[in-house]
Amino acid sequence: MAPGEKTKIFILIIENHDSNIILSTQNLSVGYRSKKNTTLIASNINLEIREGELVALIGVNGVGKSTLLRSLCGVQEPLQGEIKIGGKTLSSTSSGELSEAISIVLTEQPISKNLSVFELVALGRQPYTNWIGTLKPGDADHIRQALKLVDIEELQYQKCYELSDGQLQKVLIARAIAQDTPLVVLDEPTTHLDIYHQAYVLKLLKNLTLQTKKGILFATHEINLALQLCDRIILMEKDKVSIGTPIQLIEQDVFANMFPSDLIVFDKDSNSFKIKT
Amino acid sequence: MPNIPKYRGLLFLLLIVVLLTALLNISLGSVNIPLKDIFAAFFDKTTGSNTSFRYIILEYRLPKVITAILTGSGLAVSGLLMQTLFRNPLAGPYVLGLSSGASLGVALVLMGASLFGGAMTGFLLSKWSLVIASSIGSSLVLLAVLLASAKLRDTMAILIIGLMFASLTAAVVSVLAYFSPAAQLQQYVFWSFGSLGNLSWEEVLILSLFWFIGILLSITCIKNLNTLLLGEQYAKSLGVHISRNRIIIIAATSLLAGSITAFAGPIAFVGLAVPHLIRQVIPVNDHRILLPAVILGGAILMLVCDIAAQLPGSQFTLPINAITSLIGAPVVIWLLVRKRKFLF
């Protein structure tokens, strides 16, 4: 320090946060807000998603799974509370930063089937490419790795209109992987698939969490499969949202009251729903 | 995407076809001009072997060829932009109601002129008033659509609003046509036939300015257009500013379609059909290839249609608006039936 210069005091702020947490919410309320009234879908949601974790979001039709997913992805404004992604609040995250934090897989989108599989997966690199979208060698590596992880390398030159529903779902997952985000969110990735492919896709997601250390959150109706594969489960009910490992939730007996009990019951021995006999 | 070099050759081929059809277009007409006289008119000013040829080329055919190129490519690009933005194969400049807005403007001037009567008539029926009226008409519709698109989140709703404007203006035009005298009605009908040949160099310059801005805006959107191939929700998750992008695309479309309709009349079909024609010939959806291909394809279609409209060797000129559909529609149908696959 030069003589005469004022002494500067440096204050080192050490943020004390769990570095494994990718996304967390605090007292989150989701719903719709219009000029006249607010529709509250769910409130007091406290959850976190960690690295390498496969989390299923389950709940009956119309309970607001999509609304919650949309809010977590920043598509929709939350009514109250806070969503943090990588230690930063969602409201202060720009759309560019968000595209490098969360990738999504949706169903029923007007996707151009005239794209080849490679082209579609390559679109996952858009946040990283220049103004006209030129792929650099590094981008090509990411795409190739995504194709390999999802095991669709042999499909890459095919057009999307040539694919089956199951194959297309894998391509969309590969696109999300190529986007190279710590968190992948999928909205009902198993709809339209037969039971084999449902299991295949969920097993694929499980393997992806192990291989890539990404956190994966998906909404699903396949509770039986989710209970077997997921690290944790978010159960959305009308008045509360619970989160826990499958075993914790089963112990809390939350599934017993999930559906009206006239048709199906939760069988604790096999950990699955059974038709009432 | 890896196959761009493969299509570069194809684009070059299309460019050569544009130049050849342009040359053919200059050469053919009510008087056929030999190729060497065309070159003489451009490069060899001293010989002046045939000054009337030079006059025809420089004052009449060259501006017409340039108008054809600007018109065809501009309409085709605006069709492509609309189809990608709305992810709808039926979208085109017509769907946004731009042509209808322009038609209403012209109809009001032409057929309303008799209502205003007296001293105004002379001014109202001049050529500039038509251009001004159709520009005002299309930009008013554009303004309404832009306001709607800023307010609405659903692109499909914008599409419907465009269609509603189209039928609204069509209805007003019908009412005007019903009450207007035969002479004015005829004048309106002639305008609606479309025309490439009536532009002075000054007007060509104004049109090319609008064309240039429109194409430039489209080029800045290429990356976002590619992302929109996945639908708006994916595009948003990839960091695209949906509403900003939408406004740029709609502005580009209106600049192109609005200025073209103002100068050349409401030319149908090209905007809708050329992108489909190109997708059948070049089976790719990457806008880095699709956009230049559509520009060249639109120019070629318009030049060929204009040659056909001239009926080489005769004194007649058929309405360009009819020729584009007469030539274009069977080609689209043939391509679709032959490939049995609708690529979009």
Side-chain angles (χ1 to χ4, degrees), chain A residues 174-206:
Chain A
R175 190 210 63 81
I177 300 296
Q179 199 174 333
D180 193 28
T181 54
L183 180 65
V184 181
V185 174
L186 305 91
D187 194 6
E188 305 201 8
T190 51
T191 33
H192 303 306
L193 301 183
D194 59 43
I195 188 155
Y196 173 81
H197 286 97
Q198 285 173 358
Y200 185 98
V201 166
L202 295 193
K203 190 85 184 129
L204 172 69
L205 295 179
K206 178 71 191 169

PDB file of all heavy atoms in Angstrom, chain A residues 174-206:
ATOM      1  N   ALA A 174     -33.360 -35.164 -25.650  1.00  0.00           N
ATOM      2  CA  ALA A 174     -31.990 -34.898 -26.085  1.00  0.00           C
ATOM      3  C   ALA A 174     -31.786 -33.401 -26.331  1.00  0.00           C
ATOM      4  O   ALA A 174     -30.735 -32.840 -26.012  1.00  0.00           O
ATOM      5  CB  ALA A 174     -31.679 -35.678 -27.360  1.00  0.00           C
ATOM      6  N   ARG A 175     -32.816 -32.744 -26.888  1.00  0.00           N
ATOM      7  CA  ARG A 175     -32.716 -31.292 -27.117  1.00  0.00           C
ATOM      8  C   ARG A 175     -32.506 -30.549 -25.799  1.00  0.00           C
ATOM      9  O   ARG A 175     -31.670 -29.650 -25.702  1.00  0.00           O
ATOM     10  CB  ARG A 175     -33.986 -30.783 -27.808  1.00  0.00           C
ATOM     11  CG  ARG A 175     -33.888 -29.352 -28.309  1.00  0.00           C
ATOM     12  CD  ARG A 175     -35.234 -28.658 -28.299  1.00  0.00           C
ATOM     13  NE  ARG A 175     -35.773 -28.545 -26.954  1.00  0.00           N
ATOM     14  CZ  ARG A 175     -35.406 -27.611 -26.084  1.00  0.00           C
ATOM     15  NH1 ARG A 175     -34.526 -26.702 -26.412  1.00  0.00           N
ATOM     16  NH2 ARG A 175     -35.919 -27.583 -24.857  1.00  0.00           N
ATOM     17  N   ALA A 176     -33.277 -30.975 -24.790  1.00  0.00           N
ATOM     18  CA  ALA A 176     -33.140 -30.335 -23.477  1.00  0.00           C
ATOM     19  C   ALA A 176     -31.757 -30.590 -22.885  1.00  0.00           C
ATOM     20  O   ALA A 176     -31.165 -29.707 -22.259  1.00  0.00           O
ATOM     21  CB  ALA A 176     -34.228 -30.843 -22.540  1.00  0.00           C
ATOM     22  N   ILE A 177     -31.221 -31.800 -23.100  1.00  0.00           N
ATOM     23  CA  ILE A 177     -29.876 -32.112 -22.589  1.00  0.00           C
ATOM     24  C   ILE A 177     -28.835 -31.232 -23.299  1.00  0.00           C
ATOM     25  O   ILE A 177     -27.916 -30.707 -22.673  1.00  0.00           O
ATOM     26  CB  ILE A 177     -29.537 -33.605 -22.825  1.00  0.00           C
ATOM     27  CG1 ILE A 177     -30.547 -34.515 -22.121  1.00  0.00           C
ATOM     28  CG2 ILE A 177     -28.118 -33.919 -22.351  1.00  0.00           C
ATOM     29  CD1 ILE A 177     -30.558 -34.427 -20.646  1.00  0.00           C
ATOM     30  N   ALA A 178     -29.027 -31.068 -24.619  1.00  0.00           N
ATOM     31  CA  ALA A 178     -28.069 -30.259 -25.389  1.00  0.00           C
ATOM     32  C   ALA A 178     -28.076 -28.805 -24.925  1.00  0.00           C
ATOM     33  O   ALA A 178     -27.090 -28.094 -25.076  1.00  0.00           O
ATOM     34  CB  ALA A 178     -28.396 -30.336 -26.880  1.00  0.00           C
ATOM     35  N   GLN A 179     -29.193 -28.373 -24.358  1.00  0.00           N
ATOM     36  CA  GLN A 179     -29.279 -26.987 -23.861  1.00  0.00           C
ATOM     37  C   GLN A 179     -28.369 -26.792 -22.644  1.00  0.00           C
ATOM     38  O   GLN A 179     -28.095 -25.671 -22.244  1.00  0.00           O
ATOM     39  CB  GLN A 179     -30.742 -26.644 -23.537  1.00  0.00           C
ATOM     40  CG  GLN A 179     -31.011 -25.148 -23.462  1.00  0.00           C
ATOM     41  CD  GLN A 179     -32.492 -24.850 -23.288  1.00  0.00           C
ATOM     42  OE1 GLN A 179     -33.345 -25.636 -23.693  1.00  0.00           O
ATOM     43  NE2 GLN A 179     -32.808 -23.713 -22.684  1.00  0.00           N
ATOM     44  N   ASP A 180     -27.923 -27.927 -22.066  1.00  0.00           N
ATOM     45  CA  ASP A 180     -26.882 -27.906 -21.045  1.00  0.00           C
ATOM     46  C   ASP A 180     -27.242 -27.025 -19.852  1.00  0.00           C
ATOM     47  O   ASP A 180     -26.517 -26.098 -19.495  1.00  0.00           O
ATOM     48  CB  ASP A 180     -25.562 -27.433 -21.674  1.00  0.00           C
ATOM     49  CG  ASP A 180     -24.380 -27.705 -20.734  1.00  0.00           C
ATOM     50  OD1 ASP A 180     -24.493 -28.659 -19.941  1.00  0.00           O
ATOM     51  OD2 ASP A 180     -23.393 -26.964 -20.792  1.00  0.00           O
ATOM     52  N   THR A 181     -28.377 -27.327 -19.252  1.00  0.00           N
ATOM     53  CA  THR A 181     -28.817 -26.567 -18.090  1.00  0.00           C
ATOM     54  C   THR A 181     -28.754 -27.460 -16.863  1.00  0.00           C
ATOM     55  O   THR A 181     -28.901 -28.675 -16.976  1.00  0.00           O
ATOM     56  CB  THR A 181     -30.273 -26.116 -18.266  1.00  0.00           C
ATOM     57  OG1 THR A 181     -31.069 -27.279 -18.557  1.00  0.00           O
ATOM     58  CG2 THR A 181     -30.407 -25.138 -19.417  1.00  0.00           C
ATOM     59  N   PRO A 182     -28.544 -26.884 -15.688  1.00  0.00           N
ATOM     60  CA  PRO A 182     -28.504 -27.730 -14.482  1.00  0.00           C
ATOM     61  C   PRO A 182     -29.855 -28.368 -14.168  1.00  0.00           C
ATOM     62  O   PRO A 182     -29.909 -29.390 -13.504  1.00  0.00           O
ATOM     63  CB  PRO A 182     -28.079 -26.760 -13.375  1.00  0.00           C
ATOM     64  CG  PRO A 182     -28.190 -25.399 -13.942  1.00  0.00           C
ATOM     65  CD  PRO A 182     -28.159 -25.504 -15.421  1.00  0.00           C
ATOM     66  N   LEU A 183     -30.947 -27.747 -14.643  1.00  0.00           N
ATOM     67  CA  LEU A 183     -32.267 -28.293 -14.348  1.00  0.00           C
ATOM     68  C   LEU A 183     -33.053 -28.544 -15.636  1.00  0.00           C
ATOM     69  O   LEU A 183     -33.059 -27.718 -16.544  1.00  0.00           O
ATOM     70  CB  LEU A 183     -33.048 -27.305 -13.461  1.00  0.00           C
ATOM     71  CG  LEU A 183     -34.464 -27.707 -13.045  1.00  0.00           C
ATOM     72  CD1 LEU A 183     -34.445 -28.938 -12.152  1.00  0.00           C
ATOM     73  CD2 LEU A 183     -35.167 -26.558 -12.342  1.00  0.00           C
ATOM     74  N   VAL A 184     -33.680 -29.721 -15.703  1.00  0.00           N
ATOM     75  CA  VAL A 184     -34.552 -30.033 -16.833  1.00  0.00           C
ATOM     76  C   VAL A 184     -35.955 -30.249 -16.279  1.00  0.00           C
ATOM     77  O   VAL A 184     -36.125 -30.979 -15.294  1.00  0.00           O
ATOM     78  CB  VAL A 184     -34.090 -31.306 -17.579  1.00  0.00           C
ATOM     79  CG1 VAL A 184     -35.012 -31.596 -18.757  1.00  0.00           C
ATOM     80  CG2 VAL A 184     -32.656 -31.160 -18.057  1.00  0.00           C
ATOM     81  N   VAL A 185     -36.948 -29.588 -16.870  1.00  0.00           N
ATOM     82  CA  VAL A 185     -38.325 -29.733 -16.411  1.00  0.00           C
ATOM     83  C   VAL A 185     -39.156 -30.337 -17.539  1.00  0.00           C
ATOM     84  O   VAL A 185     -39.108 -29.864 -18.671  1.00  0.00           O
ATOM     85  CB  VAL A 185     -38.909 -28.364 -15.992  1.00  0.00           C
ATOM     86  CG1 VAL A 185     -40.381 -28.501 -15.649  1.00  0.00           C
ATOM     87  CG2 VAL A 185     -38.141 -27.790 -14.817  1.00  0.00           C
ATOM     88  N   LEU A 186     -39.874 -31.402 -17.226  1.00  0.00           N
ATOM     89  CA  LEU A 186     -40.679 -32.067 -18.248  1.00  0.00           C
ATOM     90  C   LEU A 186     -42.137 -32.086 -17.814  1.00  0.00           C
ATOM     91  O   LEU A 186     -42.449 -32.405 -16.664  1.00  0.00           O
ATOM     92  CB  LEU A 186     -40.212 -33.509 -18.477  1.00  0.00           C
ATOM     93  CG  LEU A 186     -38.739 -33.748 -18.840  1.00  0.00           C
ATOM     94  CD1 LEU A 186     -37.914 -33.974 -17.591  1.00  0.00           C
ATOM     95  CD2 LEU A 186     -38.609 -34.928 -19.775  1.00  0.00           C
ATOM     96  N   ASP A 187     -43.030 -31.725 -18.731  1.00  0.00           N
ATOM     97  CA  ASP A 187     -44.453 -31.767 -18.426  1.00  0.00           C
ATOM     98  C   ASP A 187     -45.044 -33.036 -19.032  1.00  0.00           C
ATOM     99  O   ASP A 187     -45.149 -33.157 -20.244  1.00  0.00           O
ATOM    100  CB  ASP A 187     -45.145 -30.515 -18.982  1.00  0.00           C
ATOM    101  CG  ASP A 187     -46.545 -30.360 -18.399  1.00  0.00           C
ATOM    102  OD1 ASP A 187     -46.904 -31.145 -17.503  1.00  0.00           O
ATOM    103  OD2 ASP A 187     -47.271 -29.472 -18.860  1.00  0.00           O
ATOM    104  N   GLU A 188     -45.386 -33.966 -18.181  1.00  0.00           N
ATOM    105  CA  GLU A 188     -45.974 -35.235 -18.577  1.00  0.00           C
ATOM    106  C   GLU A 188     -45.262 -35.880 -19.765  1.00  0.00           C
ATOM    107  O   GLU A 188     -45.816 -36.021 -20.844  1.00  0.00           O
ATOM    108  CB  GLU A 188     -47.462 -35.039 -18.882  1.00  0.00           C
ATOM    109  CG  GLU A 188     -48.162 -34.408 -17.685  1.00  0.00           C
ATOM    110  CD  GLU A 188     -49.663 -34.636 -17.682  1.00  0.00           C
ATOM    111  OE1 GLU A 188     -50.148 -35.404 -18.526  1.00  0.00           O
ATOM    112  OE2 GLU A 188     -50.310 -34.052 -16.810  1.00  0.00           O
ATOM    113  N   PRO A 189     -44.013 -36.298 -19.561  1.00  0.00           N
ATOM    114  CA  PRO A 189     -43.251 -36.871 -20.670  1.00  0.00           C
ATOM    115  C   PRO A 189     -43.726 -38.250 -21.095  1.00  0.00           C
ATOM    116  O   PRO A 189     -43.282 -38.755 -22.118  1.00  0.00           O
ATOM    117  CB  PRO A 189     -41.822 -36.958 -20.107  1.00  0.00           C
ATOM    118  CG  PRO A 189     -42.002 -37.044 -18.638  1.00  0.00           C
ATOM    119  CD  PRO A 189     -43.224 -36.260 -18.316  1.00  0.00           C
ATOM    120  N   THR A 190     -44.631 -38.852 -20.332  1.00  0.00           N
ATOM    121  CA  THR A 190     -45.012 -40.227 -20.666  1.00  0.00           C
ATOM    122  C   THR A 190     -46.402 -40.348 -21.278  1.00  0.00           C
ATOM    123  O   THR A 190     -46.851 -41.453 -21.554  1.00  0.00           O
ATOM    124  CB  THR A 190     -44.952 -41.126 -19.404  1.00  0.00           C
ATOM    125  OG1 THR A 190     -45.681 -40.483 -18.365  1.00  0.00           O
ATOM    126  CG2 THR A 190     -43.533 -41.355 -18.964  1.00  0.00           C
ATOM    127  N   THR A 191     -47.073 -39.206 -21.505  1.00  0.00           N
ATOM    128  CA  THR A 191     -48.389 -39.320 -22.144  1.00  0.00           C
ATOM    129  C   THR A 191     -48.223 -39.857 -23.561  1.00  0.00           C
ATOM    130  O   THR A 191     -47.216 -39.624 -24.211  1.00  0.00           O
ATOM    131  CB  THR A 191     -49.110 -37.965 -22.223  1.00  0.00           C
ATOM    132  OG1 THR A 191     -48.126 -36.957 -22.390  1.00  0.00           O
ATOM    133  CG2 THR A 191     -49.929 -37.681 -21.005  1.00  0.00           C
ATOM    134  N   HIS A 192     -49.205 -40.545 -24.042  1.00  0.00           N
ATOM    135  CA  HIS A 192     -49.238 -41.147 -25.386  1.00  0.00           C
ATOM    136  C   HIS A 192     -48.279 -42.323 -25.537  1.00  0.00           C
ATOM    137  O   HIS A 192     -48.120 -42.827 -26.639  1.00  0.00           O
ATOM    138  CB  HIS A 192     -48.909 -40.137 -26.495  1.00  0.00           C
ATOM    139  CG  HIS A 192     -49.806 -38.954 -26.509  1.00  0.00           C
ATOM    140  ND1 HIS A 192     -51.171 -39.069 -26.559  1.00  0.00           N
ATOM    141  CD2 HIS A 192     -49.552 -37.635 -26.481  1.00  0.00           C
ATOM    142  CE1 HIS A 192     -51.697 -37.866 -26.542  1.00  0.00           C
ATOM    143  NE2 HIS A 192     -50.748 -36.976 -26.486  1.00  0.00           N
ATOM    144  N   LEU A 193     -47.616 -42.732 -24.476  1.00  0.00           N
ATOM    145  CA  LEU A 193     -46.673 -43.835 -24.620  1.00  0.00           C
ATOM    146  C   LEU A 193     -47.246 -45.106 -23.984  1.00  0.00           C
ATOM    147  O   LEU A 193     -47.995 -45.043 -23.019  1.00  0.00           O
ATOM    148  CB  LEU A 193     -45.345 -43.485 -23.948  1.00  0.00           C
ATOM    149  CG  LEU A 193     -44.624 -42.237 -24.460  1.00  0.00           C
ATOM    150  CD1 LEU A 193     -43.297 -42.072 -23.743  1.00  0.00           C
ATOM    151  CD2 LEU A 193     -44.413 -42.293 -25.957  1.00  0.00           C
ATOM    152  N   ASP A 194     -46.863 -46.259 -24.555  1.00  0.00           N
ATOM    153  CA  ASP A 194     -47.305 -47.509 -23.945  1.00  0.00           C
ATOM    154  C   ASP A 194     -46.483 -47.764 -22.673  1.00  0.00           C
ATOM    155  O   ASP A 194     -45.500 -47.066 -22.403  1.00  0.00           O
ATOM    156  CB  ASP A 194     -47.194 -48.676 -24.934  1.00  0.00           C
ATOM    157  CG  ASP A 194     -45.779 -48.875 -25.431  1.00  0.00           C
ATOM    158  OD1 ASP A 194     -44.849 -48.809 -24.610  1.00  0.00           O
ATOM    159  OD2 ASP A 194     -45.596 -49.087 -26.638  1.00  0.00           O
ATOM    160  N   ILE A 195     -46.879 -48.760 -21.914  1.00  0.00           N
ATOM    161  CA  ILE A 195     -46.288 -48.922 -20.579  1.00  0.00           C
ATOM    162  C   ILE A 195     -44.796 -49.220 -20.645  1.00  0.00           C
ATOM    163  O   ILE A 195     -44.014 -48.770 -19.815  1.00  0.00           O
ATOM    164  CB  ILE A 195     -47.061 -49.987 -19.762  1.00  0.00           C
ATOM    165  CG1 ILE A 195     -46.557 -49.999 -18.311  1.00  0.00           C
ATOM    166  CG2 ILE A 195     -46.945 -51.370 -20.364  1.00  0.00           C
ATOM    167  CD1 ILE A 195     -47.546 -50.519 -17.314  1.00  0.00           C
ATOM    168  N   TYR A 196     -44.372 -49.917 -21.719  1.00  0.00           N
ATOM    169  CA  TYR A 196     -42.944 -50.191 -21.856  1.00  0.00           C
ATOM    170  C   TYR A 196     -42.176 -48.886 -22.042  1.00  0.00           C
ATOM    171  O   TYR A 196     -41.167 -48.637 -21.380  1.00  0.00           O
ATOM    172  CB  TYR A 196     -42.683 -51.134 -23.033  1.00  0.00           C
ATOM    173  CG  TYR A 196     -41.204 -51.300 -23.312  1.00  0.00           C
ATOM    174  CD1 TYR A 196     -40.426 -52.171 -22.559  1.00  0.00           C
ATOM    175  CD2 TYR A 196     -40.576 -50.553 -24.314  1.00  0.00           C
ATOM    176  CE1 TYR A 196     -39.070 -52.299 -22.781  1.00  0.00           C
ATOM    177  CE2 TYR A 196     -39.215 -50.675 -24.550  1.00  0.00           C
ATOM    178  CZ  TYR A 196     -38.468 -51.552 -23.786  1.00  0.00           C
ATOM    179  OH  TYR A 196     -37.133 -51.678 -24.002  1.00  0.00           O
ATOM    180  N   HIS A 197     -42.688 -48.054 -22.967  1.00  0.00           N
ATOM    181  CA  HIS A 197     -41.984 -46.808 -23.244  1.00  0.00           C
ATOM    182  C   HIS A 197     -42.092 -45.801 -22.097  1.00  0.00           C
ATOM    183  O   HIS A 197     -41.197 -44.984 -21.897  1.00  0.00           O
ATOM    184  CB  HIS A 197     -42.466 -46.196 -24.565  1.00  0.00           C
ATOM    185  CG  HIS A 197     -41.939 -46.930 -25.757  1.00  0.00           C
ATOM    186  ND1 HIS A 197     -42.666 -47.894 -26.410  1.00  0.00           N
ATOM    187  CD2 HIS A 197     -40.732 -46.866 -26.366  1.00  0.00           C
ATOM    188  CE1 HIS A 197     -41.933 -48.391 -27.393  1.00  0.00           C
ATOM    189  NE2 HIS A 197     -40.763 -47.785 -27.395  1.00  0.00           N
ATOM    190  N   GLN A 198     -43.201 -45.905 -21.333  1.00  0.00           N
ATOM    191  CA  GLN A 198     -43.289 -45.072 -20.126  1.00  0.00           C
ATOM    192  C   GLN A 198     -42.139 -45.407 -19.189  1.00  0.00           C
ATOM    193  O   GLN A 198     -41.412 -44.525 -18.717  1.00  0.00           O
ATOM    194  CB  GLN A 198     -44.617 -45.335 -19.403  1.00  0.00           C
ATOM    195  CG  GLN A 198     -45.803 -44.713 -20.090  1.00  0.00           C
ATOM    196  CD  GLN A 198     -47.113 -45.138 -19.422  1.00  0.00           C
ATOM    197  OE1 GLN A 198     -47.110 -45.922 -18.468  1.00  0.00           O
ATOM    198  NE2 GLN A 198     -48.201 -44.612 -19.930  1.00  0.00           N
ATOM    199  N   ALA A 199     -41.978 -46.701 -18.960  1.00  0.00           N
ATOM    200  CA  ALA A 199     -40.894 -47.137 -18.072  1.00  0.00           C
ATOM    201  C   ALA A 199     -39.551 -46.762 -18.678  1.00  0.00           C
ATOM    202  O   ALA A 199     -38.638 -46.322 -17.972  1.00  0.00           O
ATOM    203  CB  ALA A 199     -40.983 -48.644 -17.855  1.00  0.00           C
ATOM    204  N   TYR A 200     -39.453 -46.899 -20.025  1.00  0.00           N
ATOM    205  CA  TYR A 200     -38.195 -46.610 -20.705  1.00  0.00           C
ATOM    206  C   TYR A 200     -37.796 -45.156 -20.492  1.00  0.00           C
ATOM    207  O   TYR A 200     -36.651 -44.852 -20.141  1.00  0.00           O
ATOM    208  CB  TYR A 200     -38.338 -46.913 -22.201  1.00  0.00           C
ATOM    209  CG  TYR A 200     -37.048 -46.755 -22.959  1.00  0.00           C
ATOM    210  CD1 TYR A 200     -36.255 -47.856 -23.262  1.00  0.00           C
ATOM    211  CD2 TYR A 200     -36.612 -45.500 -23.369  1.00  0.00           C
ATOM    212  CE1 TYR A 200     -35.065 -47.711 -23.934  1.00  0.00           C
ATOM    213  CE2 TYR A 200     -35.421 -45.336 -24.046  1.00  0.00           C
ATOM    214  CZ  TYR A 200     -34.653 -46.441 -24.329  1.00  0.00           C
ATOM    215  OH  TYR A 200     -33.470 -46.302 -24.985  1.00  0.00           O
ATOM    216  N   VAL A 201     -38.777 -44.243 -20.712  1.00  0.00           N
ATOM    217  CA  VAL A 201     -38.473 -42.813 -20.602  1.00  0.00           C
ATOM    218  C   VAL A 201     -38.082 -42.450 -19.175  1.00  0.00           C
ATOM    219  O   VAL A 201     -37.097 -41.741 -18.940  1.00  0.00           O
ATOM    220  CB  VAL A 201     -39.669 -41.957 -21.085  1.00  0.00           C
ATOM    221  CG1 VAL A 201     -39.507 -40.515 -20.663  1.00  0.00           C
ATOM    222  CG2 VAL A 201     -39.792 -42.049 -22.593  1.00  0.00           C
ATOM    223  N   LEU A 202     -38.821 -42.979 -18.182  1.00  0.00           N
ATOM    224  CA  LEU A 202     -38.511 -42.636 -16.797  1.00  0.00           C
ATOM    225  C   LEU A 202     -37.150 -43.203 -16.374  1.00  0.00           C
ATOM    226  O   LEU A 202     -36.381 -42.557 -15.679  1.00  0.00           O
ATOM    227  CB  LEU A 202     -39.611 -43.132 -15.862  1.00  0.00           C
ATOM    228  CG  LEU A 202     -40.975 -42.465 -16.061  1.00  0.00           C
ATOM    229  CD1 LEU A 202     -41.886 -42.779 -14.893  1.00  0.00           C
ATOM    230  CD2 LEU A 202     -40.846 -40.961 -16.220  1.00  0.00           C
ATOM    231  N   LYS A 203     -36.859 -44.431 -16.850  1.00  0.00           N
ATOM    232  CA  LYS A 203     -35.555 -45.034 -16.558  1.00  0.00           C
ATOM    233  C   LYS A 203     -34.450 -44.190 -17.200  1.00  0.00           C
ATOM    234  O   LYS A 203     -33.383 -43.970 -16.604  1.00  0.00           O
ATOM    235  CB  LYS A 203     -35.543 -46.469 -17.116  1.00  0.00           C
ATOM    236  CG  LYS A 203     -34.372 -47.297 -16.700  1.00  0.00           C
ATOM    237  CD  LYS A 203     -34.606 -47.952 -15.349  1.00  0.00           C
ATOM    238  CE  LYS A 203     -33.366 -48.684 -14.964  1.00  0.00           C
ATOM    239  NZ  LYS A 203     -32.663 -48.688 -13.938  1.00  0.00           N
ATOM    240  N   LEU A 204     -34.737 -43.702 -18.418  1.00  0.00           N
ATOM    241  CA  LEU A 204     -33.783 -42.833 -19.108  1.00  0.00           C
ATOM    242  C   LEU A 204     -33.515 -41.573 -18.291  1.00  0.00           C
ATOM    243  O   LEU A 204     -32.359 -41.161 -18.100  1.00  0.00           O
ATOM    244  CB  LEU A 204     -34.350 -42.465 -20.484  1.00  0.00           C
ATOM    245  CG  LEU A 204     -33.597 -41.413 -21.305  1.00  0.00           C
ATOM    246  CD1 LEU A 204     -32.265 -41.978 -21.766  1.00  0.00           C
ATOM    247  CD2 LEU A 204     -34.423 -40.989 -22.513  1.00  0.00           C
ATOM    248  N   LEU A 205     -34.589 -40.972 -17.755  1.00  0.00           N
ATOM    249  CA  LEU A 205     -34.428 -39.766 -16.945  1.00  0.00           C
ATOM    250  C   LEU A 205     -33.582 -40.072 -15.715  1.00  0.00           C
ATOM    251  O   LEU A 205     -32.704 -39.301 -15.327  1.00  0.00           O
ATOM    252  CB  LEU A 205     -35.796 -39.220 -16.527  1.00  0.00           C
ATOM    253  CG  LEU A 205     -36.692 -38.711 -17.664  1.00  0.00           C
ATOM    254  CD1 LEU A 205     -38.026 -38.210 -17.106  1.00  0.00           C
ATOM    255  CD2 LEU A 205     -36.013 -37.589 -18.434  1.00  0.00           C
ATOM    256  N   LYS A 206     -33.865 -41.236 -15.108  1.00  0.00           N
ATOM    257  CA  LYS A 206     -33.096 -41.641 -13.916  1.00  0.00           C
ATOM    258  C   LYS A 206     -31.612 -41.750 -14.258  1.00  0.00           C
ATOM    259  O   LYS A 206     -30.755 -41.229 -13.541  1.00  0.00           O
ATOM    260  CB  LYS A 206     -33.642 -42.984 -13.417  1.00  0.00           C
ATOM    261  CG  LYS A 206     -32.922 -43.547 -12.224  1.00  0.00           C
ATOM    262  CD  LYS A 206     -33.228 -42.740 -10.985  1.00  0.00           C
ATOM    263  CE  LYS A 206     -32.302 -43.123  -9.845  1.00  0.00           C
ATOM    264  NZ  LYS A 206     -32.393 -42.193  -8.733  1.00  0.00           N
TER     265      LYS A 206
END
